[in-house]
Amino acid sequence: MKTTYENELRSLRSWISNVNNELLFGRPAVIDSVSADNTCYQVKAVANGIEVEYPFYTKELKNISMSLFKNTGYGVVSLNNVAFGELFIIIHHITQEPVDTAIWREIHPRIAEISQSLFGDGYYDSAAEKAVKEVETRLRELFQELKPNAVVPAKVGDIIGALLTENGAYHFADLSTVSGKDYRRGMQFLFEGIFAAYRNPSAHKNIPCTKREFIEQIMLASQLMYILDKQYYK
């Protein structure tokens, strides 16, 4: 998964590793002012790049960039070992999880498989679009499973009608209860709504979306995909 700060993160991790090796052998790290300035630039670049996913780390890294070095004169700077230790831990964590991946553990596996990398690379619109398309793909698969002798309709709305209406072929709620009937009807509306709103992004290209809204589309697609795993046997 690529990030906008990938080069800076890689360089920073290499520098941290080299300095750490020197410290492990009891040797003071000799750092010139140019190298120190470049390192501070990389720390700030990573801090800005993770602002949404790791706001706490962003604040800490900016503080570290201001306290990591002290100018001792003659073009040489000294290293603040405490700040370096904090930087070591933060950068190693970010390297393992370049974006906050916790949310993807809750996303349906089929949605995560096709959307997570795209989202991590910054292609939020494509990640959301493919998530919705995957729901349609699953609906078509389900239609073939439940109606093997019927032709799969071209329009997804017709598939929803065949599967998810009160007399549809796919049963995911207990229709013997009022709450079950309400649940089924509400979910049918959600399926119809996601395709009306998001299935054809080119038709809605003038409607701006934020990163948060793309996340919400993906989460809704995940919820609907889990519904399609939730067959209720009467």
Side-chain angles (χ1 to χ4, degrees):
M1 185 181 299
K2 296 181 180 179
T3 61
T4 56
Y5 52 89
E6 182 178 21
N7 292 334
E8 289 83 1
L9 183 62
R10 184 186 303 112
S11 297
L12 190 56
R13 186 179 181 188
S14 177
W15 177 83
I16 289 172
S17 179
N18 291 335
V19 171
N20 189 58
N21 287 336
E22 293 295 311
L23 297 176
L24 286 174
F25 284 102
R27 296 190 292 261
V30 179
I31 304 166
D32 61 80
S33 58
V34 174
S35 175
D37 288 343
N38 186 52
T39 298
C40 287
Y41 164 79
Q42 292 170 349
V43 172
K44 292 176 182 176
V46 172
N48 291 331
I50 65 172
E51 190 169 8
V52 174
E53 287 79 15
Y54 295 111
F56 174 77
Y57 280 174
T58 290
K59 180 180 178 181
E60 291 301 306
L61 286 175
K62 289 181 177 179
N63 290 336
I64 288 171
S65 72
M66 294 186 290
S67 61
L68 187 59
F69 303 107
K70 181 179 179 180
N71 195 334
T72 59
Y74 305 102
V76 177
V77 297
S78 62
L79 180 69
N80 181 335
N81 288 344
V82 174
F84 177 78
E86 293 175 346
L87 181 65
F88 181 96
I89 296 298
I90 293 173
I91 293 303
H92 272 68
H93 181 201
I94 294 171
T95 300
Q96 293 299 314
E97 291 186 317
V99 294
D100 189 354
T101 60
I103 187 174
W104 293 100
R105 300 187 189 109
E106 306 300 327
I107 298 296
H108 191 281
R110 284 184 60 161
I111 300 297
E113 183 177 1
I114 63 169
S115 295
Q116 183 174 358
S117 294
L118 284 168
F119 195 90
D121 291 345
Y123 300 110
Y124 309 129
D125 53 347
S126 295
E129 178 187 351
K130 286 186 176 295
V132 176
K133 286 182 176 178
E134 191 67 12
V135 175
E136 180 178 347
T137 297
R138 180 59 188 134
L139 281 168
R140 294 184 179 279
E141 293 172 353
L142 197 57
F143 185 97
Q144 290 179 313
E145 293 169 14
L146 297 176
K147 292 178 170 289
N149 298 320
V151 176
V152 181
K155 295 181 179 180
V156 68
D158 293 336
I159 298 176
I160 292 173
L163 295 179
L164 306 178
T165 53
E166 186 170 3
N167 297 316
Y170 181 65
H171 305 286
F172 59 92
D174 183 0
L175 300 185
S176 67
T177 66
V178 173
S179 60
K181 291 179 180 179
D182 289 343
Y183 179 74
R184 183 216 57 78
R185 184 172 64 254
M187 283 301 162
Q188 179 187 342
F189 291 158
L190 285 181
F191 275 94
E192 292 171 343
I194 196 173
F195 293 109
Y198 306 129
R199 175 59 182 86
N200 186 4
S202 62
H204 306 284
K205 61 183 178 181
N206 293 324
I207 302 177
C209 286
T210 65
K211 180 179 178 181
R212 174 188 58 77
E213 289 170 319
F214 285 127
I215 292 174
E216 290 170 347
Q217 290 180 36
I218 292 170
M219 294 181 71
L220 176 56
S222 173
Q223 179 187 12
L224 298 184
M225 190 68 86
Y226 275 119
I227 292 297
L228 298 180
D229 290 344
K230 189 180 179 181
Q231 185 149 4
Y232 172 78
Y233 295 95
K234 295 183 289 184

